[in-house]
């Protein structure tokens, strides 16, 4: 299934990131340090700026530090592959960062008495967590789940664009972005569940329902 971010675009970003990754590795910085630093940066952008209504600054800071997902992954590959703890830490920090982003958005919208927007933000938070959980659970059962139209990078990009436009006085942009994101996140959950179901059926021994 095609992603919103095409593979070629991600490959181009990787070419930009690789020199930075090499420099950090030479300086003795580990991928795990970059993972934690990226999460701290997202928390600063979301809670320190976004939740206080500084939407443009918050979105730009979150986007910048969210790109450490590419950086730490590239560093891990260059240093011989991700460790089990590194993979665990990366996934855990992603959930912390996502919770901060959508929690901050929901909080700010609540201060604006935008109840519909708050509902959309909370739905995005729940659906985004489910998108990640379905993949993790499938992989824990020995199956693959690399499908879906909206993975984490796409979700953060959509809410970031909505936040920037709203910060520039395009008032309905953030709420529209949140409802769009909620819809495609729920659709992605369905895609992943269907994908895992088909694999499970193929792996099921003959004669078992």
């Amino acid at each position: 299934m095609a992603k919103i971010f095409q593979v070629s675009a991600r490959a181009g970003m990787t070419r930009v990131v690789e020199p930075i990754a090499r420099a950090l590795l030479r300086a003795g910085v580990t991928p795990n340090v970059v993972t934690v630093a990226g999460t701290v940066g997202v928390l600063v952008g979301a809670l320190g700026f976004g939740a206080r209504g500084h939407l443009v600054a918050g979105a730009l800071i979150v986007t910048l530090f969210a790109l450490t997902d590419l950086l730490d992954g590239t560093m891990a590959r260059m240093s011989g592959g991700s460790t089990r703890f590194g993979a665990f830490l990366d996934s855990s920090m992603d959930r912390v960062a996502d919770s901060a982003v959508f929690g901050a958005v929901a909080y700010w919208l609540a201060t604006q008495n935008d109840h519909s927007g708050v509902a959309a933000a909370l739905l995005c938070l729940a659906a985004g967590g489910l998108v990640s959980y379905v993949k993790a659970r499938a992989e824990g059962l020995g199956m693959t789940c690399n499908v879906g139209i909206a993975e984490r990078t796409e979700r953060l990009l959509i809410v970031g664009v909505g936040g920037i436009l709203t910060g520039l006085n395009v008032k309905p942009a953030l709420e529209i972005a949140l409802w769009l994101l909620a819809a495609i996140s729920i659709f992605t959950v369905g895609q992943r569940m269907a994908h895992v179901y088909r694999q499970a059926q193929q792996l099921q021994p003959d004669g078992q329902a």
Side-chain angles (χ1 to χ4, degrees), residues 14-29:
T14 299
R15 286 194 292 272
V16 173
V17 165
E18 283 183 348
I20 302 173
R22 290 193 188 95
L24 289 173
L25 288 171
R26 284 196 297 268
V29 179

Side-chain angles (χ1 to χ4, degrees), residues 13-169:
M13 283 296 298
T14 299
R15 286 194 292 272
V16 173
V17 165
E18 283 183 348
I20 302 173
R22 290 193 188 95
L24 289 173
L25 288 171
R26 284 196 297 268
V29 179
T30 67
N32 290 349
V33 169
V34 172
T35 297
V36 173
T39 302
V40 171
V42 171
L43 292 175
V44 170
L47 303 178
F49 289 85
R52 297 166 58 195
H54 305 300
L55 300 183
V56 175
L60 292 176
I61 293 170
V62 166
T63 300
L64 175 64
F65 282 97
L67 291 176
T68 57
D69 256 2
L70 287 175
L71 183 57
D72 60 10
T74 302
M75 290 173 67
R77 175 173 54 81
M78 289 180 170
S79 59
S82 176
T83 65
R84 290 184 177 181
F85 178 74
F88 167 79
L89 180 67
D90 185 60
S91 295
S92 299
M93 292 297 99
D94 283 351
R95 303 293 77 74
V96 171
D98 290 355
S99 297
V101 168
F102 289 102
V105 169
Y107 173 83
W108 180 76
L109 289 169
T111 66
Q112 307 302 303
N113 294 316
D114 187 345
H115 303 299
S116 175
V118 171
L122 294 177
L123 185 55
C124 286
L125 178 58
L130 189 54
V131 167
S132 299
Y133 174 80
V134 169
K135 180 177 180 178
R137 183 62 177 146
E139 291 175 345
L141 293 171
M143 294 179 280
T144 62
C145 198
N146 296 315
V147 298
I149 62 172
E151 295 188 350
R152 182 172 184 263
T153 302
E154 287 81 10
R155 296 198 301 270
L156 290 178
L157 178 63
I158 290 171
V159 72
V161 170
I164 289 172
L165 291 176
T166 297
L168 296 175
N169 291 319

